[in-house]
Amino acid sequence: MINNDRSQDRVLRSPIIHNHLQELDTIPEIPKEEYILKCTSACAGCSDSLSLRYVLKAAGPDTVLVVPACCTSVIQGIYPNTAFNVPVYNIAFGAAAACASGMSNAFRAAGKKTNVIVYAGDGGTLDIGIQAMSGAFERGTDFLYICYDNEAYGNTGMQRSSGTPLGARTTTTPAGKTDAKKDIDAIAAAHDLPYQATACAAYPQDLFKKVQKALAIRGPSFIHILAPCPPGWRYSTEKSVEMGKLAVKSGMWVLYEREYGKLTIGPQSKVAMKKPIPLEDYLKPQGRFKGIDPKTVDILKQRIAKNFAKLAAEEATP
């Protein structure tokens, strides 16, 4: 795709991106080069675009993005212009990992080390794209699959996905979802990947380093990024980073990595495991959890405790 001139200012960068410019200057590990330009059509406070910004800083210019139907396929801009300063291949909803498999094999056959990254939402990963992803993992494709998870079909109006958590209201679950969130990380782990991790843009250094590590390891890697969404989750646009931190501090999202089968829980989640903040502190600011009943909150708390115990036991295993 054709890139926009960097001087094009007609569409302003999301405020959440502006807020991180000064922060990035204080993080020496993260380069200042930008691969997402300031003409995205992202919503204010979009943590999808913020996450991708860190991903591309870690990956560098020799990178190709494979993007199925999702918010990212919209925020990149309208042809012939794009806000992404790397090649992008837009592909059908269920075919991203299959496309990336062929692309990676072609690059490797040509002797090129170009990073092939699938960047897909939860709908295109946990639901529609899971078969192609599983096939690519099983074949040992040399690529990085990233699921940025805003826990619903954000691009089409926030319908329920299998990534939507229990109790959350969406346009198709107006009274709150009655099913648990699908454990896509356990499904990925069953493929015995060389590397997989969870991340959140609220912790940029953690995300940056995990992408670097994933791309340095030959074979398939998987990173699952929590991507808070202001219009879908119904919170104020300036609170995206805060919302990500509340998710981790409450235990609703656990940061860890699994390298060649060995699990390491991140320090932020270690703190949460010892002393989590009340889950209500995470749920209350979000309109999608308005009216959630105490019984459902208790179930969520029980599942957090169970997940903590499971991960702690795995980490302790030699």
Side-chain angles (χ1 to χ4, degrees), residues 21-73:
L21 285 175
Q22 187 173 3
E23 176 191 350
L24 287 182
D25 288 339
T26 67
I27 304 176
E29 296 91 343
I30 298 181
K32 294 182 180 180
E33 288 79 9
E34 298 291 347
Y35 302 100
I36 295 186
L37 309 181
K38 53 186 174 181
C39 47
T40 76
S41 53
C43 300
C46 175
S47 59
D48 162 17
S49 57
L50 181 59
S51 299
L52 184 55
R53 185 178 184 220
Y54 296 133
V55 167
L56 292 178
K57 281 176 175 287
D62 190 16
T63 299
V64 175
L65 287 179
V66 179
V67 180
C70 60
C71 291
T72 306
S73 63

Side-chain angles (χ1 to χ4, degrees), residues 67-131:
V67 180
C70 60
C71 291
T72 306
S73 63
V74 175
I75 68 175
Q76 66 193 37
I78 301 173
Y79 183 85
N81 299 313
T82 177
F84 297 170
N85 204 19
V86 297
V88 179
Y89 197 94
N90 294 112
I91 194 67
F93 225 145
C99 173
S101 291
M103 191 177 288
S104 175
N105 289 340
F107 279 131
R108 303 302 174 258
K112 296 181 179 180
K113 298 180 180 180
T114 301
N115 300 315
V116 178
I117 301 177
V118 169
Y119 196 75
D122 49 295
T125 302
L126 283 70
D127 296 334
I128 300 173
I130 193 170
Q131 48 79 28

Side-chain angles (χ1 to χ4, degrees), residues 233-247:
W233 293 18
R234 303 173 205 168
Y235 63 82
S236 185
T237 58
E238 76 278 5
K239 295 185 179 295
S240 285
V241 171
E242 178 185 345
M243 203 59 59
K245 290 184 177 180
L246 289 174

Side-chain angles (χ1 to χ4, degrees), residues 154-292:
N155 184 33
T156 53
M158 298 307 293
Q159 295 88 3
R160 166 213 191 277
S161 81
S162 60
T164 303
L166 178 71
R169 295 171 182 249
T170 69
T171 56
T172 50
T173 57
K177 185 166 176 267
T178 57
D179 308 298
K181 180 182 177 80
K182 182 185 290 185
D183 191 352
I184 190 64
D185 299 303
I187 294 171
H191 292 78
D192 197 22
L193 302 176
Y195 185 81
Q196 76 170 105
T198 59
C200 179
Y203 300 91
Q205 287 175 294
D206 180 69
L207 171 57
F208 179 83
K209 291 175 180 177
K210 284 172 176 175
V211 173
Q212 281 193 319
K213 183 177 288 189
L215 293 173
I217 295 175
R218 185 72 182 266
S221 296
F222 178 71
I223 298 180
H224 190 185
I225 302 175
L226 181 67
C229 172
W233 293 18
R234 303 173 205 168
Y235 63 82
S236 185
T237 58
E238 76 278 5
K239 295 185 179 295
S240 285
V241 171
E242 178 185 345
M243 203 59 59
K245 290 184 177 180
L246 289 174
V248 172
K249 291 177 180 179
S250 66
M252 278 290 279
W253 192 259
V254 182
L255 298 175
Y256 64 84
E257 60 184 345
R258 188 178 282 110
E259 188 172 356
Y260 295 106
K262 177 59 180 175
L263 180 79
T264 302
I265 300 171
Q268 302 89 348
S269 289
K270 288 274 194 181
V271 172
M273 291 172 77
K274 292 180 180 178
K275 191 176 181 180
I277 65 170
L279 178 59
E280 290 82 356
D281 290 356
Y282 172 66
L283 302 178
K284 188 175 180 180
Q286 303 178 54
R288 65 177 179 157
F289 288 111
K290 183 178 181 180
I292 188 170

Side-chain angles (χ1 to χ4, degrees), residues 292-307:
I292 188 170
D293 63 276
K295 182 179 179 181
T296 303
V297 175
D298 286 340
I299 293 173
L300 289 173
K301 290 179 178 179
Q302 292 169 20
R303 289 179 175 168
I304 288 172
K306 183 178 180 180
N307 190 41

